[in-house]
Amino acid sequence: MAPLAVALRNSGILQPVIVATGQHGAPVDQALAAFDLVPDVRLDLARTTGSQPELVAQVATQLDPVLEDSAAVVVQGDTTTALVGGLVAMWRRVPVVHVEAGLRSGDLSAPFPEEANRRMLSVFADLHLAPTRRAVDALLREGLPADRVLLTGNTVVDAVIATALRAQGSTPSDPGVAEVLREVEAGRGRLVLVTAHRRESWGEPLDRVMSAVRQVVDDHPDVLAVVPTHPNPAVRDQVEAALAGHPRIRTTGPLAYPELCHVLSRSTLALTDSGGIQEEAPSFGVPTVVLREVTERVEAVESGWAVLVGTDPEEISVAAKGFLDGDFARPSGPNPFGDGRAAERGAQAIAWLVGRADRPEPFAP
């Protein structure tokens, strides 16, 4: 969303108002700071149970007055706060713009609840900014008006390229990560980035993933792994317990977005259940082993940038070995998810929606 906010601000047509929903305060501020942005509005959530109903109730009631004078409301992706933001805007009859629209796994249980969130947003959004041709086709098959669906590419590609450029030459705040990057940049090792954060991966699946991470690193003496952990204390403790004591695996707290981009740009391979990293990694020539049973980023698999393996340790190890040992042909094509101009197209499309600009030309993958 940050590149889109910047593009809107630079256009001089619409003034972006950034609302932080209050779930992850410091990481949000760090991510926005990479683009010289700060939240204009902060919701004050009083979480006790951590449940989805609690989140929905608090975000809806606090967000409603914020949207009173909005010309449009822009939400991104498949989070519960995106769904609630869209719902509150729709109830107020404010136009809803859905960024990263049209991704589908076809399975309501994976990712859960994100697949349902994304599908529900498509029912009432007024403008659908789709990252890929497959996403456009999914929306059209669902009967959405063709003139309200625009192929833009994904703004995450804009974000990761700009952020990685700014992060070059900087030193990560985590000493372990800084040490790993020094080794890699000196040619004394290859870096594997590991992220596993989705709710369906918690518990036993996460144990299987961490077992595979140890095996991959053990099988490749030159490999160093960086494993940022989830803010949830139970998830963090589970990861650290599984990987404790390994001399070539560094577990960290959540990395600031510029640091994560820097690590990804220096990696040889990523093991991830993150949708964003599946889209970001091709910009740096980094293939991914996807730790999920299904993915709504099918283009990553079709283009050869990703292999979908789930959480079986043997399958993870075999896929990682294929990329690290050269058994798999490393992909060489462009990033299928964008060319770095998605935010520019999106800003013009939003201005078109409210009658202030021409409709932009679509992204041509």
Side-chain angles (χ1 to χ4, degrees), residues 13-311:
I13 297 173
L14 294 165
Q15 177 62 38
V17 176
I18 299 171
V19 181
T21 56
Q23 293 180 89
H24 303 297
V28 169
D29 288 346
Q30 291 169 346
L32 290 175
F35 300 87
D36 298 322
L37 297 172
V38 295
D40 299 290
V41 177
R42 296 179 189 268
L43 305 188
D44 184 17
L45 306 186
R47 304 297 300 278
T48 56
T49 67
S51 69
Q52 294 288 292
E54 178 187 68
L55 176 64
V56 170
Q58 293 194 26
V59 172
T61 53
Q62 293 191 39
L63 193 58
D64 181 56
V66 174
L67 306 187
E68 183 175 4
D69 298 320
S70 299
V73 171
V74 185
V75 298
Q76 184 269 339
D78 55 15
T79 64
T80 297
T81 47
L83 174 62
V84 175
L87 279 169
V88 174
M90 183 267 292
W91 291 332
R92 280 191 169 271
R93 297 190 179 276
V94 175
V96 176
V97 180
H98 187 195
V99 177
E100 199 183 65
L103 275 65
R104 298 290 186 269
S105 72
D107 184 351
L108 286 174
S109 66
F112 177 84
E114 289 86 356
E115 174 75 1
N117 291 346
R118 197 186 294 272
R119 288 199 216 176
M120 286 188 282
L121 273 165
S122 296
V123 172
F124 54 80
D126 298 278
L127 178 62
H128 311 263
L129 303 182
T132 65
R133 170 54 58 187
R134 178 183 292 274
V136 169
D137 292 343
L139 293 166
L140 297 180
R141 283 195 303 271
E142 293 169 9
L144 298 177
D147 69 329
R148 295 303 178 99
V149 178
L150 178 68
L151 176 58
T152 59
N154 201 318
T155 56
V156 75
V157 177
D158 304 30
V160 75
I161 292 172
T163 305
L165 286 171
R166 292 183 64 170
Q168 285 182 353
S170 62
T171 301
S173 58
D174 186 285
V177 175
E179 179 185 354
V180 168
L181 287 175
R182 283 194 295 270
E183 292 294 301
V184 170
E185 289 166 1
R188 293 191 290 267
R190 292 182 294 171
L191 174 57
V192 173
L193 172 64
V194 182
T195 72
H197 71 277
R198 285 195 175 270
R199 193 173 294 267
E200 68 264 25
S201 300
W202 295 2
E204 184 180 344
L206 188 57
D207 281 334
R208 295 197 295 267
V209 169
M210 294 304 111
S211 171
V213 171
R214 291 191 75 105
Q215 188 64 53
V216 169
V217 177
D218 286 340
D219 289 345
H220 299 85
D222 66 329
V223 163
L224 304 163
V226 169
V227 187
T229 58
H230 193 276
N232 183 295
V235 179
R236 182 181 65 241
D237 292 347
Q238 184 181 354
V239 170
E240 292 178 347
L243 301 178
H246 200 295
R248 289 183 287 116
I249 300 176
R250 299 288 187 272
T251 61
T252 78
L255 293 179
Y257 187 62
E259 295 183 358
L260 182 65
C261 293
H262 190 186
V263 171
L264 179 60
S265 72
R266 304 301 299 164
S267 295
T268 298
L269 177 67
L271 309 181
T272 186
D273 63 3
S274 164
I277 287 179
Q278 292 175 59
E279 296 173 324
E280 295 162 341
S283 292
F284 304 115
V286 179
T288 58
V289 174
V290 182
L291 310 172
R292 293 166 58 181
E293 301 299 332
V294 295
T295 180
E296 62 276 28
R297 275 84 171 181
V298 180
E299 294 85 355
V301 177
E302 291 178 340
S303 62
W305 284 107
V307 174
L308 188 67
V309 298
T311 60

Side-chain angles (χ1 to χ4, degrees), residues 336-356:
F337 295 103
D339 60 356
R341 295 182 54 212
E344 174 188 328
R345 296 185 189 95
Q348 186 176 343
I350 296 167
W352 167 79
L353 179 68
V354 299
R356 300 292 300 276

